[in-house]
Structure formats: structure tokens, C-alpha cells
Amino acid sequence: MNSERERTYHHGDLRRVILDAALDVIATNGPGALSLRDLARRANVSHAAPAHHFKDRTGLLTAVAAEGYALFADALAGAPDLRERGVAYVRFAATHPAHFRVMFQPDLHRTDDPDLLAARTRATEALRAGVADLAPAGRGEDDRLAGVAAWSLAHGFATLLLSGNLADAMEGRDPEEAFRSLAALIFAPE
């Protein structure tokens, strides 16, 4: 009985412990490997404990996505221009691969979650501000298409980098510097 009480009682921030364990699983094995029961075992709590914080697996993945977008928005906000926002995008993906994998798979989370919507809006505004700051010659006639081009470049580069598909092309180059060079090919200097 005493070992059961120890297993089901938890000190500290269980929500954070479960989120961190989920991020580890996602980074190692992908979101498909995520199980609330396994996370409870890792946290040494009852199998029902994670449901108190996240309700279900989708709720947990929604929390991961919301946290990811909030971190992402913060990372983008500090960048002085569009190119550096792209660098921040790539850096974020490299340092938060589990968040990144979940954020851009809307079938994994509740896309109408208020925390997720607020964080995603902040990130979107930070990206759009980078395009708005470009000189007209650098963005063309359509701001929205310029935004799609910038997003496609940063997201595509980050995704290829995380999946290991750029290993040969990078030849040991710093990913951030490589991205700066690519961005200079697409967007005219200001």
C-alpha cells in the first residue's frame, strides 16, 4: 500500500513534468508514440493523473502546440528584420524539435483552443511584421505572397534540416548562416 501511495502522489508541477516527458517522447519517437499511460509511468504517478491536466492525448498535444507557438512568437519577436526572423525560425526548429513537429500538424491538436489561437496569432503577427518591414522592391506587389514565400523558405529549410535531408548539402556549414545565404537569394536587400 505504501508503494502505491508513493506512486500516485506527486510533489511539484505535474503538468510541467508530463509536458517535459511528452516532449522527450515526441523528439525521440514522434507524436505517434505518445501515450498518457506511459507518461504517467515515467512521472511515477497514477495512470489517471495526466488526464487531470490534459483530459486526453489530444489535450496534451494541444498544450505542446500552444507552448510551442508561445516560445516561437518570443523567438521571432526579437529578430530585427525578415531574414533574421527566418534565422530565428530555423533556430527555434533546431532547439525545439518536438514542439515544431506538433505545431504544424493541426490534425494532432485542437485548433480552436484559445491558448493555442492566441500564441499562433502572436507568431503570425511577428512573421507578417518582418514582411511589412521589407522595402517594396524586396517583397513584390503582394505582401501575402511575399509572406508565403518567406514562410515556405524558413519552414521548408527547417523541416529538411530536422529530417537530416540537408546533411550533404550543408557540408558542415552553420545552418543559420546557410539560411541567411538562401534568404538573400530570394529577397532583395533592403
Side-chain angles (χ1 to χ4, degrees):
M1 177 86 168
N2 195 12
S3 65
E4 178 65 20
R5 184 178 312 147
E6 287 174 11
R7 196 174 82 75
T8 60
Y9 184 77
H10 190 272
H11 291 280
D13 186 357
L14 179 59
R15 184 178 195 283
R16 181 77 257 159
V17 169
I18 297 296
L19 274 171
D20 288 343
L23 291 168
D24 288 343
V25 169
I26 295 165
T28 305
N29 301 312
L34 202 60
S35 154
L36 289 183
R37 188 175 291 269
D38 176 57
L39 296 175
R41 183 189 53 73
R42 289 171 181 250
N44 200 30
V45 296
S46 75
H47 69 272
H52 292 293
H53 294 279
F54 304 105
K55 186 177 177 189
D56 56 19
R57 184 177 181 277
T58 302
L60 174 59
L61 288 167
T62 301
V64 167
E67 179 178 78
Y69 273 111
L71 293 168
F72 185 47
D74 292 344
L76 294 172
D81 58 27
L82 182 62
R83 185 178 311 169
E84 290 308 306
R85 279 181 176 87
V87 170
Y89 197 113
V90 170
R91 185 181 308 124
F92 173 83
T95 57
H96 300 281
H99 286 104
F100 189 80
R101 289 178 80 172
V102 174
M103 290 163 50
F104 297 103
Q105 292 188 51
D107 58 313
L108 293 178
H109 46 77
R110 293 184 181 95
T111 57
D112 61 348
D113 178 79
D115 292 337
L116 175 64
L117 289 171
R120 188 170 49 208
T121 297
R122 280 185 48 230
T124 300
E125 288 170 356
L127 288 171
R128 286 185 180 151
V131 172
D133 289 344
L134 280 177
R139 68 174 178 259
E141 295 179 16
D142 189 335
D143 287 358
R144 291 186 66 83
L145 285 180
V148 170
W151 184 26
S152 298
L153 180 64
H155 189 80
F157 186 87
T159 300
L160 290 168
L161 183 68
L162 288 180
S163 64
N165 285 301
L166 293 180
D168 291 340
M170 295 294 290
E171 297 176 343
R173 282 183 259 193
D174 175 59
E176 293 178 21
E177 288 304 316
F179 182 83
R180 283 184 183 98
S181 296
L182 288 173
L185 295 172
I186 304 295
F187 292 98
E190 297 176 36

